Amino acid sequence: MITYLILTNEKNFFSNTIKLVLSTIVTAFFIFLFTTSNSYSIDCDASYPVTAAKPGQCDLTNSGSTVSAGATITIGMPESWQVKAGNNSSSLTNNGTINFDGNPQGVFVGVGLTLGTLSNTGSMTSSSQQMIHNEGTLGTLSNTGSMTSSSTQMIHNAGTITFFNNSGTLNSNGSSETISNAGTITRMRHTGTLVNFEFTNFGGGTIQTLENNDPNLAIVGNNPINYEIIVDSTSDYGKYDANNAIGPITFSINNTSTLENGTYANVISNVTDIDLQGEEGGTYNNCSWSLTNDGADVWSLVVTNCSAVGDGGGDGGGGDGSSGDGAEALPDPTTNSSVTDFAKSNNKSQKHNIKKANNISRMSLLFSVYFDFNIADNNNIDFKSNDPMFASLGQELGTKISNKSNKKFDINNWNQWSEGSISTNKIGDTFNSSSIEIDSSNLSFGIDKKINDNEVQGFAFQYGQSDTEIGSNSGSIDSKNYNISTYRLRMLSNNNFISGLAGVGTVENDIIRKDGANTLNGSRDGENIFSSITVGKNVNKDGFNIIPNVRLDLGYTQLDAYNENGTNALAYDDESFKNLMVSSGVRVDNMIKFKNSNVKPFALLEYGLDLSSSSSTKMNYISDTSTIYTYDSPSDEDHSITSEIGFDFDAKDNLNLSTSYRRMQAKNQQMDALKFALILKSKSGTDFAMNFDTSDTVGAGFNVAKTVSGFDLGFNLDQKFDDNYDPEAKLSLSRKF
């Protein structure tokens, strides 16, 4: 029953009466709701005082939830605290007491969602199936209080926990698994206490770096990739038992440790010398250390040559430099030449890939192919590469000379073509960066046709591979690119023309960065879009085609975030690259006709100005997500001169030879590219092809193909100009049904 005392005068009597009626109705509604429903929901994004009532199911939003010291919150709802989509800055801070009463999950983070911080300085208890269940991303999970659970699992991670810091108590109270990891824990620091615990890391579970000073730590499943011992004194230090764990593990000393001369027994157990890495030791502050095998794969830490008691400095003999409480600050990576050289090389590599995507030689032949019919038809090239994908594409799409048609080129139908190129791009040393060399191979194939009297439309697929070497031994970026594009040429009045190309693609990068004796690696994918437009004029003068033109090239590449693996590993944020290139040049060619053949020499000279903007590389140490570093690569504005010379030779559909050499010269940079192909078809129906390959080891090949009674007979000879490479000869017989 609700009683209201109202003091009023006649003037306000009517309005207050209405307010009384409405208040009574609303109050009665909420009494009914809260006493009859088991699925109510209230706003839990608030600070709860000591007198807080029992809340219902709580939606975590960007304002966060805080339980004040002394307050007790008891929730009996499934997924008691849950992150809602679009609230990736949400947080849950408990300074009081939270009781999860029989729920399937207490704190729940779904797939694709992020809980920025979950901090417990008070007490959290649960009899639910899982106290904390993460399928998305949990930025920082920090426990300096106590967590007690009699549920199946106290903490279950199937997503990513960036930093798990436990300096409090985790008490499983008899439950089967205290910590169950089937996802990724980037960094875990354990300086607290585990009671009646079981720590599992099964299936695809990965623990990147584990820092520990618990003398009773064991993991069931996969070993952590990097294990860092925390040593507080000769009697207080971490021990790790891998009796029920498998996989390689790298041992090092956490940089918050204090070392003294002596032997620290049984620091790691049940790890074989094959799986254990880092046992040779190193230096830490003013001490030397190593591991010794005491037998039965039990290892002890031996510390010598300490001139005084260590103070927690040093590099841990190869530790990842994790910054924890009291840790010495890690160096700024933007002052590390291996990091800055990688950032600059990454910028150059992505720009190179965009240039190759925008440069399809077929487009420069469209005038001759469709508007001057005295030219060889298709540019078929036999390509060799050590990359299986590249070799397969070259074999299946560009090199089956036994299937080459005898028919004349038909401008009214779709015409197939293929082309390839091999190039080397060298960027010299400067005062603040190492040299960069980019070796690349590209294969393109497509179709085009004349869609009306003045226009040609085409489609192309490109596959490219490039190897970017940084300095003499500073790392590399191996890229694979898959692009699809469409292009068009339109002839205007007075032999003016406009042509354009637009496409999209994907890029896959395998990265190695070397920092002194430390090697770090990772893989990074991305997408790109690119386009080019050319405006020019075709002038015929004394039998020569003179084609002046102006060209604009655009490109945009977006690379995904990725983490390195190794010591002092870095995490890189998403990164974008914007390319802008303007150029102007002239191409000259001349068709020389003989009785049964044609030869077309050509030359090109071009001036280019690169106006690409600088890119920003954002990074942080995996062991320290709180400090973000930014490195801005220098602006790429540069002038360049490009020249190309070559010729096409065609003899009555029996012989087609195409070759060219291209050279680009800029300040501290040069690029050389070579193309060569030979197709020969005898009157008896036998095809001969010769190829030249400089993608890895310089070499050449010779192919013969003949069709006999419906069977394809082939002979192939490959020779690499390398003393360690033996010639290969192959004979094949096949038939298509």
Side-chain angles (χ1 to χ4, degrees):
M1 178 177 179
I2 300 177
T3 304
Y4 291 88
L5 178 63
I6 301 175
L7 299 176
T8 184
N9 54 35
E10 287 187 31
K11 184 177 181 180
N12 295 322
F13 176 80
F14 182 77
S15 61
N16 285 331
T17 301
I18 294 176
K19 291 180 182 179
L20 173 60
V21 173
L22 292 176
S23 298
T24 304
I25 294 172
V26 171
T27 303
F29 172 79
F30 278 103
I31 292 175
F32 173 80
L33 176 66
F34 280 93
T35 56
T36 59
S37 174
N38 292 322
S39 59
Y40 57 85
S41 177
I42 68 170
D43 179 14
C44 293
D45 294 304
S47 295
Y48 294 103
V50 176
T51 58
K54 174 181 176 180
Q57 193 176 51
C58 301
D59 296 340
L60 287 167
T61 64
N62 291 337
S63 57
S65 287
T66 300
V67 178
S68 302
T72 298
I73 302 295
T74 300
I75 305 180
M77 300 295 298
E79 299 175 2
S80 306
W81 260 283
Q82 58 178 331
V83 179
K84 286 298 187 182
N87 297 301
N88 289 337
S89 298
S90 57
S91 63
L92 172 60
T93 301
N94 175 45
N95 300 316
T97 299
I98 300 178
N99 298 318
F100 299 105
D101 186 12
N103 305 319
Q105 289 96 21
V107 180
F108 181 80
V109 184
V111 175
L113 302 179
T114 298
L115 176 60
T117 302
L118 196 164
S119 176
N120 176 52
T121 64
S123 174
M124 297 175 68
T125 64
S126 174
S127 59
S128 62
Q129 183 177 346
Q130 294 156 345
M131 177 186 289
I132 300 171
H133 182 94
N134 176 50
E135 296 178 357
T137 299
L138 207 169
T140 299
L141 171 56
S142 176
N143 175 49
T144 58
S146 65
M147 294 184 178
T148 303
S149 175
S150 58
S151 60
T152 305
Q153 298 165 334
M154 178 187 292
I155 300 170
H156 177 71
N157 176 50
T160 297
I161 298 177
T162 306
F163 182 30
F164 184 0
N165 185 19
N166 176 51
S167 58
T169 299
L170 301 179
N171 186 349
S172 68
N173 200 23
S175 63
S176 57
E177 293 175 281
T178 311
I179 302 171
S180 170
N181 181 49
T184 298
I185 300 177
T186 306
R187 175 191 172 202
M188 179 175 179
R189 183 177 178 87
H190 174 52
T191 56
T193 303
L194 299 176
V195 180
N196 299 320
F197 73 94
E198 183 180 56
F199 192 160
T200 63
N201 187 40
F202 281 123
T206 299
I207 302 172
Q208 184 70 40
T209 300
L210 175 61
E211 309 162 29
N212 172 56
N213 80 335
D214 189 329
N216 300 300
L217 182 63
I219 291 180
V220 178
N222 302 316
N223 280 318
I225 296 174
N226 300 296
Y227 174 73
E228 297 184 9
I229 186 175
I230 300 176
V231 179
D232 291 331
S233 69
T234 55
S235 59
D236 185 6
Y237 55 89
K239 297 180 182 180
Y240 174 65
D241 185 357
N243 184 49
N244 295 308
I246 59 174
I249 182 172
T250 299
F251 178 91
S252 59
I253 299 173
N254 185 264
N255 63 359
T256 62
S257 297
T258 300
L259 294 186
E260 299 180 40
N261 288 326
T263 298
Y264 300 78
N266 305 336
V267 294
I268 194 164
S269 305
N270 297 304
V271 177
T272 66
D273 55 358
I274 296 176
D275 284 337
L276 184 60
Q277 302 173 29
E279 71 272 18
E280 67 277 3
T283 59
Y284 180 86
N285 195 24
N286 54 349
C287 302
S288 299
W289 68 269
S290 63
L291 294 180
T292 61
N293 195 330
D294 300 339
D297 296 327
V298 177
W299 302 81
S300 294
L301 172 65
V302 179
V303 180
T304 58
N305 300 324
C306 294
S307 58
V309 175
D311 62 0
D315 62 5
D320 77 353
S322 300
S323 60
D325 297 336
E328 194 174 278
L330 291 164
D332 184 346
T334 63
T335 63
N336 185 334
S337 61
S338 75
V339 176
T340 58
D341 284 347
F342 162 71
K344 295 172 186 176
S345 300
N346 194 28
N347 192 358
K348 298 292 185 183
S349 176
Q350 302 313 318
K351 181 196 297 185
H352 180 83
N353 292 335
I354 288 292
K355 284 183 177 180
K356 301 297 289 186
N358 272 326
N359 187 17
I360 296 180
S361 299
R362 173 70 173 184
M363 294 187 65
S364 64
L365 298 176
L366 294 179
F367 303 105
S368 300
V369 171
Y370 288 97
F371 299 99
D372 178 0
F373 308 136
N374 298 314
I375 183 74
D377 51 358
N378 298 324
N379 182 22
N380 293 284
I381 292 180
D382 191 8
F383 247 77
K384 298 296 178 184
S385 172
N386 290 336
D387 185 272
M389 176 65 178
F390 195 85
S392 175
L393 281 173
Q395 180 181 9
E396 294 297 326
L397 301 171
T399 66
K400 291 192 173 180
I401 58 176
S402 61
N403 294 327
K404 184 173 173 66
S405 173
N406 285 315
K407 296 181 180 179
K408 286 285 186 179
F409 178 75
D410 187 354
I411 66 169
N412 297 315
N413 294 316
W414 289 100
N415 295 281
Q416 301 177 7
W417 57 268
S418 62
E419 65 182 41
S421 67
I422 300 167
S423 64
T424 297
N425 191 358
K426 294 183 179 180
I427 304 169
D429 289 316
T430 64
F431 71 95
N432 61 352
S433 65
S434 302
S435 63
I436 303 169
E437 180 172 333
I438 306 174
D439 296 325
S440 64
S441 300
N442 285 75
L443 175 66
S444 305
F445 67 93
I447 56 174
D448 48 41
K449 71 174 295 186
K450 196 172 183 181
I451 57 177
N452 57 51
D453 290 342
N454 299 315
E455 287 187 274
V456 176
Q457 176 75 54
F459 303 91
F461 172 81
Q462 298 167 286
Y463 171 75
Q465 58 185 50
S466 64
D467 179 17
T468 302
E469 296 292 336
I470 308 169
S472 58
N473 191 30
S474 298
S476 64
I477 304 172
D478 292 335
S479 297
K480 288 183 174 61
N481 297 270
Y482 306 86
N483 302 318
I484 57 173
S485 57
T486 180
Y487 55 89
R488 178 172 288 197
L489 167 68
R490 180 176 177 82
M491 296 298 298
L492 307 174
S493 61
N494 299 320
N495 287 331
N496 295 308
F497 69 88
I498 182 170
S499 64
L501 175 147
V504 297
T506 63
V507 57
E508 300 173 356
N509 294 318
D510 291 325
I511 299 167
I512 297 175
R513 180 171 69 87
K514 295 185 178 180
D515 184 8
N518 183 22
T519 298
L520 305 101
N521 55 67
S523 59
R524 192 179 199 182
D525 297 337
E527 300 79 34
N528 56 53
I529 58 176
F530 51 91
S531 65
S532 70
I533 185 170
T534 303
V535 178
K537 183 179 183 66
N538 189 2
V539 180
N540 190 280
K541 184 70 173 177
D542 297 330
F544 287 89
N545 286 321
I546 303 173
I547 309 173
N549 66 82
V550 177
R551 177 180 172 127
L552 175 67
D553 289 305
L554 300 170
Y556 179 83
T557 301
Q558 178 75 39
L559 294 182
D560 299 336
Y562 87 104
N563 293 347
E564 294 177 328
N565 296 315
T567 303
N568 284 350
L570 293 170
Y572 294 83
D573 201 356
D574 295 346
E575 190 170 359
S576 62
F577 304 86
K578 301 174 183 178
N579 295 332
L580 172 60
M581 180 85 177
V582 292
S583 58
S584 178
V586 60
R587 173 189 167 103
V588 179
D589 61 50
N590 181 32
M591 178 70 74
I592 303 173
K593 300 179 181 180
F594 299 97
K595 182 177 181 181
N596 295 314
S597 61
N598 302 311
V599 62
K600 184 179 183 180
F602 64 86
L604 177 144
L605 185 65
E606 184 179 84
Y607 164 78
L609 178 60
D610 193 336
L611 299 174
S612 302
S613 61
S614 61
S615 63
S616 293
T617 305
K618 295 184 181 295
M619 68 199 83
N620 62 271
Y621 286 101
I622 291 178
S623 58
D624 179 13
T625 59
S626 62
T627 305
I628 307 297
Y629 303 89
T630 301
Y631 176 77
D632 293 324
S633 296
S635 175
D636 286 328
E637 180 175 333
D638 201 2
H639 305 269
S640 64
I641 296 293
T642 300
S643 60
E644 184 176 10
I645 188 170
F647 67 88
D648 294 317
F649 178 75
D650 178 57
K652 269 194 172 179
D653 286 334
N654 295 326
L655 173 66
N656 177 257
L657 183 149
S658 177
T659 183
S660 71
Y661 169 73
R662 187 180 183 95
R663 173 69 177 260
M664 184 276 290
Q665 184 68 55
K667 184 180 179 181
N668 296 318
Q669 181 178 357
Q670 68 182 49
M671 183 176 70
D672 299 276
L674 177 65
K675 293 197 308 179
F676 182 83
L678 173 67
I679 302 289
L680 176 62
K681 180 182 286 290
S682 71
K683 292 183 179 180
S684 62
T686 303
D687 297 340
F688 302 89
M690 179 178 170
N691 68 83
F692 184 68
D693 173 28
T694 60
S695 59
D696 188 6
T697 303
V698 177
F702 182 70
N703 299 303
V704 180
K706 181 177 178 65
T707 300
V708 180
S709 300
F711 288 89
D712 288 336
L713 177 66
F715 173 76
N716 172 263
L717 176 65
D718 286 324
Q719 172 66 60
K720 295 288 186 184
F721 303 117
D722 186 334
D723 294 338
N724 298 319
Y725 187 91
D726 295 327
E728 287 187 357
K730 298 179 181 178
L731 182 65
S732 64
L733 181 66
S734 63
R735 182 173 184 178
K736 293 184 178 179
F737 298 92

